[in-house]
Amino acid sequence: MIFSLFRRHIRADTISTLYGTIVAHARLPCFYRDYEIADTVNGRFELLILHLAVILDRLMADPQLRDVGQGLFDHFCSDMDHNLREMGVGDLAVPRQMQRVGEAFYGRAQAYRGALALKTQEMLTEALERNVYGNGGSSRAAAARLAVYIVAVAAHLRDQPTTSLLAGKLDLPDPASMVGLKDRGSSVID
């Protein structure tokens, strides 16, 4: 209890604002139209996890933002719990479903983090193809376009000032402006 006195206090509205920005961004129509992501509960869930994983990596890399990152993840878990209950999942089944949500998040986050750390476009494209697109029959080109976009998101987040993120200001690149970008023959992420 006493240790909470020494922690940096993160305002709940900051976390809500960041999470709301992520959810709104993940629901942009161009993802479902131009990036060929299935506009289903699973497709939206995968896109939310993808953005959340990349953003959490940025937050957790900065010691001043770790509490924000933890608060953001806690808010995500609370939102998933609420959504499961709203979809009619019974009280006894919610913990088991939340465990699946957690496993899905951590597995995917590890795959995306590894691909971004190794700076291989091919590895990121494969992870996106496997997780976001699944067996939906989308083209490899769609997964490659999404990989280019995610690399741009990660780079853009690195440039955002800590003070802005602490204030709940999250700026993400416009995915619609990147649809025409191709993997210019390079298998290495700049």
PDB file of all heavy atoms in Angstrom, residues 40-54:
ATOM      1  N   THR A  40     -15.129  -8.180 -39.234  1.00  0.00           N
ATOM      2  CA  THR A  40     -15.830  -9.083 -38.322  1.00  0.00           C
ATOM      3  C   THR A  40     -15.325  -8.812 -36.912  1.00  0.00           C
ATOM      4  O   THR A  40     -14.377  -8.042 -36.724  1.00  0.00           O
ATOM      5  CB  THR A  40     -15.533 -10.558 -38.673  1.00  0.00           C
ATOM      6  OG1 THR A  40     -14.117 -10.788 -38.526  1.00  0.00           O
ATOM      7  CG2 THR A  40     -15.964 -10.901 -40.098  1.00  0.00           C
ATOM      8  N   VAL A  41     -15.927  -9.462 -35.943  1.00  0.00           N
ATOM      9  CA  VAL A  41     -15.453  -9.324 -34.555  1.00  0.00           C
ATOM     10  C   VAL A  41     -13.985  -9.736 -34.483  1.00  0.00           C
ATOM     11  O   VAL A  41     -13.164  -9.039 -33.874  1.00  0.00           O
ATOM     12  CB  VAL A  41     -16.323 -10.161 -33.586  1.00  0.00           C
ATOM     13  CG1 VAL A  41     -15.714 -10.204 -32.202  1.00  0.00           C
ATOM     14  CG2 VAL A  41     -17.739  -9.603 -33.527  1.00  0.00           C
ATOM     15  N   ASN A  42     -13.632 -10.851 -35.115  1.00  0.00           N
ATOM     16  CA  ASN A  42     -12.237 -11.315 -35.077  1.00  0.00           C
ATOM     17  C   ASN A  42     -11.301 -10.362 -35.809  1.00  0.00           C
ATOM     18  O   ASN A  42     -10.191 -10.097 -35.343  1.00  0.00           O
ATOM     19  CB  ASN A  42     -12.124 -12.724 -35.657  1.00  0.00           C
ATOM     20  CG  ASN A  42     -12.662 -13.768 -34.719  1.00  0.00           C
ATOM     21  OD1 ASN A  42     -12.786 -13.549 -33.521  1.00  0.00           O
ATOM     22  ND2 ASN A  42     -13.004 -14.916 -35.273  1.00  0.00           N
ATOM     23  N   GLY A  43     -11.722  -9.854 -36.959  1.00  0.00           N
ATOM     24  CA  GLY A  43     -10.888  -8.917 -37.696  1.00  0.00           C
ATOM     25  C   GLY A  43     -10.622  -7.648 -36.906  1.00  0.00           C
ATOM     26  O   GLY A  43      -9.492  -7.154 -36.853  1.00  0.00           O
ATOM     27  N   ARG A  44     -11.646  -7.130 -36.283  1.00  0.00           N
ATOM     28  CA  ARG A  44     -11.488  -5.913 -35.464  1.00  0.00           C
ATOM     29  C   ARG A  44     -10.616  -6.177 -34.240  1.00  0.00           C
ATOM     30  O   ARG A  44      -9.800  -5.347 -33.852  1.00  0.00           O
ATOM     31  CB  ARG A  44     -12.847  -5.377 -35.048  1.00  0.00           C
ATOM     32  CG  ARG A  44     -13.593  -4.764 -36.207  1.00  0.00           C
ATOM     33  CD  ARG A  44     -14.983  -4.319 -35.815  1.00  0.00           C
ATOM     34  NE  ARG A  44     -15.651  -3.752 -36.976  1.00  0.00           N
ATOM     35  CZ  ARG A  44     -16.285  -2.596 -36.969  1.00  0.00           C
ATOM     36  NH1 ARG A  44     -16.378  -1.893 -35.863  1.00  0.00           N
ATOM     37  NH2 ARG A  44     -16.847  -2.132 -38.065  1.00  0.00           N
ATOM     38  N   PHE A  45     -10.798  -7.352 -33.637  1.00  0.00           N
ATOM     39  CA  PHE A  45      -9.991  -7.744 -32.484  1.00  0.00           C
ATOM     40  C   PHE A  45      -8.515  -7.821 -32.872  1.00  0.00           C
ATOM     41  O   PHE A  45      -7.651  -7.308 -32.159  1.00  0.00           O
ATOM     42  CB  PHE A  45     -10.486  -9.090 -31.939  1.00  0.00           C
ATOM     43  CG  PHE A  45      -9.663  -9.643 -30.816  1.00  0.00           C
ATOM     44  CD1 PHE A  45      -9.707  -9.079 -29.547  1.00  0.00           C
ATOM     45  CD2 PHE A  45      -8.851 -10.749 -31.026  1.00  0.00           C
ATOM     46  CE1 PHE A  45      -8.945  -9.600 -28.510  1.00  0.00           C
ATOM     47  CE2 PHE A  45      -8.090 -11.273 -29.998  1.00  0.00           C
ATOM     48  CZ  PHE A  45      -8.138 -10.695 -28.734  1.00  0.00           C
ATOM     49  N   GLU A  46      -8.222  -8.448 -34.006  1.00  0.00           N
ATOM     50  CA  GLU A  46      -6.834  -8.578 -34.459  1.00  0.00           C
ATOM     51  C   GLU A  46      -6.206  -7.216 -34.729  1.00  0.00           C
ATOM     52  O   GLU A  46      -5.050  -6.980 -34.384  1.00  0.00           O
ATOM     53  CB  GLU A  46      -6.752  -9.450 -35.717  1.00  0.00           C
ATOM     54  CG  GLU A  46      -7.075 -10.902 -35.486  1.00  0.00           C
ATOM     55  CD  GLU A  46      -6.094 -11.630 -34.587  1.00  0.00           C
ATOM     56  OE1 GLU A  46      -4.955 -11.145 -34.377  1.00  0.00           O
ATOM     57  OE2 GLU A  46      -6.461 -12.701 -34.088  1.00  0.00           O
ATOM     58  N   LEU A  47      -6.953  -6.327 -35.323  1.00  0.00           N
ATOM     59  CA  LEU A  47      -6.435  -4.996 -35.623  1.00  0.00           C
ATOM     60  C   LEU A  47      -6.206  -4.191 -34.340  1.00  0.00           C
ATOM     61  O   LEU A  47      -5.217  -3.462 -34.219  1.00  0.00           O
ATOM     62  CB  LEU A  47      -7.388  -4.270 -36.568  1.00  0.00           C
ATOM     63  CG  LEU A  47      -6.817  -3.139 -37.397  1.00  0.00           C
ATOM     64  CD1 LEU A  47      -5.550  -3.545 -38.136  1.00  0.00           C
ATOM     65  CD2 LEU A  47      -7.852  -2.644 -38.380  1.00  0.00           C
ATOM     66  N   LEU A  48      -7.093  -4.353 -33.375  1.00  0.00           N
ATOM     67  CA  LEU A  48      -6.912  -3.696 -32.076  1.00  0.00           C
ATOM     68  C   LEU A  48      -5.658  -4.220 -31.389  1.00  0.00           C
ATOM     69  O   LEU A  48      -4.832  -3.433 -30.901  1.00  0.00           O
ATOM     70  CB  LEU A  48      -8.143  -3.920 -31.196  1.00  0.00           C
ATOM     71  CG  LEU A  48      -8.052  -3.394 -29.765  1.00  0.00           C
ATOM     72  CD1 LEU A  48      -7.897  -1.880 -29.753  1.00  0.00           C
ATOM     73  CD2 LEU A  48      -9.283  -3.807 -28.977  1.00  0.00           C
ATOM     74  N   ILE A  49      -5.485  -5.532 -31.367  1.00  0.00           N
ATOM     75  CA  ILE A  49      -4.299  -6.123 -30.740  1.00  0.00           C
ATOM     76  C   ILE A  49      -3.023  -5.652 -31.442  1.00  0.00           C
ATOM     77  O   ILE A  49      -2.034  -5.337 -30.788  1.00  0.00           O
ATOM     78  CB  ILE A  49      -4.384  -7.662 -30.742  1.00  0.00           C
ATOM     79  CG1 ILE A  49      -5.355  -8.134 -29.673  1.00  0.00           C
ATOM     80  CG2 ILE A  49      -3.018  -8.289 -30.501  1.00  0.00           C
ATOM     81  CD1 ILE A  49      -5.493  -9.632 -29.580  1.00  0.00           C
ATOM     82  N   LEU A  50      -3.055  -5.608 -32.756  1.00  0.00           N
ATOM     83  CA  LEU A  50      -1.887  -5.173 -33.518  1.00  0.00           C
ATOM     84  C   LEU A  50      -1.465  -3.767 -33.117  1.00  0.00           C
ATOM     85  O   LEU A  50      -0.303  -3.515 -32.783  1.00  0.00           O
ATOM     86  CB  LEU A  50      -2.199  -5.238 -35.017  1.00  0.00           C
ATOM     87  CG  LEU A  50      -1.140  -4.714 -35.976  1.00  0.00           C
ATOM     88  CD1 LEU A  50       0.173  -5.471 -35.818  1.00  0.00           C
ATOM     89  CD2 LEU A  50      -1.648  -4.809 -37.402  1.00  0.00           C
ATOM     90  N   HIS A  51      -2.403  -2.840 -33.117  1.00  0.00           N
ATOM     91  CA  HIS A  51      -2.078  -1.459 -32.738  1.00  0.00           C
ATOM     92  C   HIS A  51      -1.657  -1.374 -31.269  1.00  0.00           C
ATOM     93  O   HIS A  51      -0.688  -0.694 -30.937  1.00  0.00           O
ATOM     94  CB  HIS A  51      -3.280  -0.545 -32.997  1.00  0.00           C
ATOM     95  CG  HIS A  51      -3.431  -0.186 -34.421  1.00  0.00           C
ATOM     96  ND1 HIS A  51      -4.131  -0.957 -35.318  1.00  0.00           N
ATOM     97  CD2 HIS A  51      -2.957   0.868 -35.132  1.00  0.00           C
ATOM     98  CE1 HIS A  51      -4.091  -0.397 -36.504  1.00  0.00           C
ATOM     99  NE2 HIS A  51      -3.380   0.717 -36.426  1.00  0.00           N
ATOM    100  N   LEU A  52      -2.391  -2.046 -30.411  1.00  0.00           N
ATOM    101  CA  LEU A  52      -2.074  -2.008 -28.986  1.00  0.00           C
ATOM    102  C   LEU A  52      -0.675  -2.548 -28.713  1.00  0.00           C
ATOM    103  O   LEU A  52       0.085  -1.969 -27.934  1.00  0.00           O
ATOM    104  CB  LEU A  52      -3.126  -2.796 -28.191  1.00  0.00           C
ATOM    105  CG  LEU A  52      -3.028  -2.720 -26.676  1.00  0.00           C
ATOM    106  CD1 LEU A  52      -3.269  -1.291 -26.192  1.00  0.00           C
ATOM    107  CD2 LEU A  52      -4.038  -3.660 -26.049  1.00  0.00           C
ATOM    108  N   ALA A  53      -0.303  -3.634 -29.374  1.00  0.00           N
ATOM    109  CA  ALA A  53       1.020  -4.234 -29.162  1.00  0.00           C
ATOM    110  C   ALA A  53       2.139  -3.267 -29.547  1.00  0.00           C
ATOM    111  O   ALA A  53       3.110  -3.098 -28.803  1.00  0.00           O
ATOM    112  CB  ALA A  53       1.134  -5.538 -29.955  1.00  0.00           C
ATOM    113  N   VAL A  54       1.998  -2.625 -30.692  1.00  0.00           N
ATOM    114  CA  VAL A  54       3.038  -1.695 -31.157  1.00  0.00           C
ATOM    115  C   VAL A  54       3.111  -0.468 -30.239  1.00  0.00           C
ATOM    116  O   VAL A  54       4.201  -0.005 -29.889  1.00  0.00           O
ATOM    117  CB  VAL A  54       2.784  -1.282 -32.630  1.00  0.00           C
ATOM    118  CG1 VAL A  54       3.763  -0.224 -33.087  1.00  0.00           C
ATOM    119  CG2 VAL A  54       2.861  -2.506 -33.537  1.00  0.00           C
TER     120      VAL A  54
END
